[in-house]
Amino acid sequence: MKKIASICCIGAGYVGGPTMSVIANKCPHIKVTVVDINEKRIKQWNQDDVSKLPVYESGLPEIVKETRGRNLFFSTAIDEAIDEADMIFISVNTPTKTYGKGKGLAADLKYIELCARNIARVAKTDKIVVEKSTLPVRTAEAIKSILHNTGNHVNFEILSNPEFLAEGTAIDDLLDADRVLIGGDDTPSGKEAKNLLSSIYENWLPKERILQTNVWSSELSKLVANAFLAQRVSSINSISALCEKTDANIDEVANAIGYDSRIGPKFLKSSVGFGGSCFQKDILNLVYIAKTFGLNEVADYWEQVIIMNNYQKTRFSDHMISTMFNTVAGKKIVFYGWAFKKDTNDTRESAAIHVADLLMEEQANIVVYDPQVSEERIYMDMDYLGTRSEAENRNLLTVTSDYMEATKDAHAIAILTEWDEFKTYDWAQIHKNMLKPAFVFDGRRILDTKHMKDLGFDFYKIGES
Ligand code: UDX
Ligand code: ADP
């Protein structure tokens, strides 16, 4: 079996950056180069101050500090890195299509295709190409077809190696992965490629956690894992609505069902709705794939997970409006949190974006505080929706770095992300700062109801009557 001496990863994002940092850290004998077309991003990965990396992830700065310049490199020299590498990871973004066939459902594979063409143009020696991005089934086939038809007599072996890390815990998830999935052909060269990729992970993971499958199983497993996880969140959120109408408490219900070992305790936390770059996109892909095979009942079944998630976000903002005497126009509403979950600076599909949008439709004045998300990112999220002009977004929404100052004369606070620091704030002082009645809407169930009521707040917690 030949050896892997050099790896290149195309895409220095939330997946490529942390994953390659861990691989380089654990495999000092392999040169790992992470490349990206985005010069600003590469500059950020290369800056001396590792606390300002483009991806905020616990444990990542230490790993980058230890490994960067040793056998981990970040660069915009894409062609050189491809040329040098024995193994190329594709880790670029695959957003939902905003045009043409499959619009709003299918993944847009244009970035993947550009990568494949780039590899085909540059490669002079045999390569193993590993697809790492979240992809719909059959992408490996598309990549294979592009690579094999460009004809510079190079052998390409295509593997699928889906990423299962969750943001906020990415480093732990990588270092102690439940499983690594490697999909590839069952030909002798396909098996060799799978074993070579497996040998990289074996540097720190037990072999029995590395599963080898065919390409289809690997690609589909990624979509199905995310669909099942999202389904759990939508399931518990659907019950949270019922709890609000009764005296049942959603955490007590979740705890009780989680004790059943067949159900298990994880992923039963009711919230204002799931976000992130994967859940919605992967389910939409599943729906699209099912529809293309004429499996409409299957498509409808999974689509319901998204419908429930949208319902939860709308339900939360509608409740805010009705509680605040059916009008929020001109009222100052402070958002604690903008990221789609705690411990990340990623905001893709964050519930906060949709809740803000609905409240801004009612002319509310939103003031956002998030410990890690930049003002630039927040405005990008709002502008991307296209609901109103950029000027209007800046008029109705402001961003602050002072969570306490923001509460002065505020009518309400909405908790959209479960950052730990929100629990330790001086809520008595916040109550004093706010107009009365002082409303707090806890979309993440992080504050104690009795304590908040004792302080005098009009307190609403998702999943409680
Ligand atoms: C997910 C998968 O967990 C991961 O395996 C895959 O590789 C990528 O997609 P991620 O989106 O980073 O990871 O975060 P995750 O922890 O799964 O949370 C997704 C969303 O669900 C977040 O908005 C989170 O707040 C929400 N969630 C999660 C809940 O509302 N309740 C829960 O109990 C769990
Ligand atoms: P993910 O969460 O999947 O990592 P991101 O959007 O964070 O997604 O990162 C994807 C990265 O891929 C971006 O930094 C983007 O600039 C990069 N990228 C997209 N297309 C190409 C390409 N053809 N060549 C190099 N980099 C690319």
Side-chain angles (χ1 to χ4, degrees), residues 2-4 6-8 10 78-90 116 118-130 143-144 147-148 152-159 189-190 192-194 196:
K2 65 177 182 188
K3 283 227 158 21
I4 302 292
S6 176
I7 287 177
C8 151
I10 308 179
I78 301 177
D79 290 2
E80 285 88 328
I82 292 173
D83 182 34
E84 193 185 350
D86 305 305
M87 186 177 268
I88 301 162
F89 288 78
I90 300 183
N118 206 1
I119 296 168
R121 181 175 52 80
V122 171
K124 291 190 282 292
T125 54
D126 294 354
K127 310 278 182 203
I128 297 171
V129 176
V130 185
I143 297 175
K144 195 186 275 181
L147 291 175
H148 288 169
N152 40 0
H153 308 295
V154 169
N155 284 320
F156 294 105
E157 207 54 55
I158 322 295
L159 299 179
S189 59
E192 189 193 15
K194 285 195 264 192
L196 277 167

Side-chain angles (χ1 to χ4, degrees), residues 10-11 13-15 36-38 41 78 91-93 111 115 348:
I10 308 179
Y14 283 90
V15 171
D36 204 294
I37 38 171
N38 184 335
R41 231 177 193 182
I78 301 177
S91 194
V92 300
N93 34 337
Y111 302 109
C115 282
R348 285 175 286 181

Side-chain angles (χ1 to χ4, degrees), residues 197-398:
L197 181 54
S198 176
S199 71
I200 291 174
Y201 289 109
E202 284 165 38
N203 280 293
W204 74 95
L205 286 171
K207 206 172 174 173
E208 51 289 0
R209 284 200 221 161
I210 303 167
L211 313 178
Q212 296 194 8
T213 64
N214 72 35
V215 179
W216 272 78
S217 304
S218 171
E219 290 183 340
L220 188 58
S221 299
K222 168 75 182 182
L223 298 192
V224 174
N226 278 338
F228 269 58
L229 290 169
Q231 183 197 39
R232 275 176 79 95
V233 179
S234 273
S235 297
I236 203 71
N237 280 342
S238 74
I239 303 302
S240 76
L242 196 54
C243 286
E244 287 168 28
K245 299 283 180 205
T246 64
D247 273 340
N249 172 308
I250 192 65
D251 280 347
E252 290 179 356
V253 174
N255 188 44
I257 65 166
Y259 262 88
D260 186 325
S261 59
R262 293 165 301 176
I263 296 174
K266 293 183 184 163
F267 257 73
L268 289 176
K269 185 91 192 143
S270 176
S271 68
V272 59
F274 62 72
S277 64
C278 288
F279 281 3
Q280 173 155 318
K281 188 184 69 181
D282 286 356
I283 292 177
L284 290 175
N285 263 310
L286 203 55
V287 168
Y288 182 68
I289 290 163
K291 276 191 179 159
T292 30
F293 287 112
L295 304 172
N296 291 327
E297 284 76 4
V298 177
D300 292 347
Y301 177 77
W302 287 106
E303 195 167 14
Q304 196 59 37
V305 175
I306 307 261
I307 293 171
M308 184 52 63
N309 197 47
N310 291 337
Y311 170 67
Q312 191 77 348
K313 293 182 271 191
T314 309
R315 210 166 68 72
F316 185 77
S317 38
D318 283 353
H319 183 86
M320 286 180 73
I321 296 164
S322 64
T323 308
M324 295 167 77
F325 318 114
N326 285 315
T327 174
V328 289
K331 290 183 179 170
K332 180 179 181 185
I333 301 177
V334 178
F335 273 32
Y336 278 171
W338 191 264
F340 81 96
K341 64 188 275 198
K342 72 171 179 175
D343 299 336
T344 178
N345 59 346
D346 195 352
T347 65
R348 285 175 286 181
E349 299 297 341
S350 179
I353 301 169
H354 301 277
V355 174
D357 192 42
L358 293 168
L359 294 174
M360 285 158 76
E361 274 308 274
E362 296 294 327
Q363 297 293 310
N365 289 120
I366 310 288
V367 180
V368 183
Y369 169 76
D370 187 288
Q372 288 299 332
V373 179
S374 69
E375 177 175 319
E376 184 192 3
R377 179 75 243 173
I378 292 169
Y379 283 131
M380 265 170 67
D381 290 335
M382 291 315 298
D383 295 342
Y384 183 76
L385 285 182
T387 313
R388 60 190 74 73
S389 70
E390 292 188 7
E392 252 180 303
N393 279 335
R394 279 144 193 80
N395 184 29
L396 287 172
L397 185 149
T398 51

Side-chain angles (χ1 to χ4, degrees), residues 68-79:
R68 197 179 55 194
R70 183 188 79 183
N71 63 321
L72 172 67
F73 303 91
F74 295 92
S75 161
T76 48
I78 301 177
D79 290 2

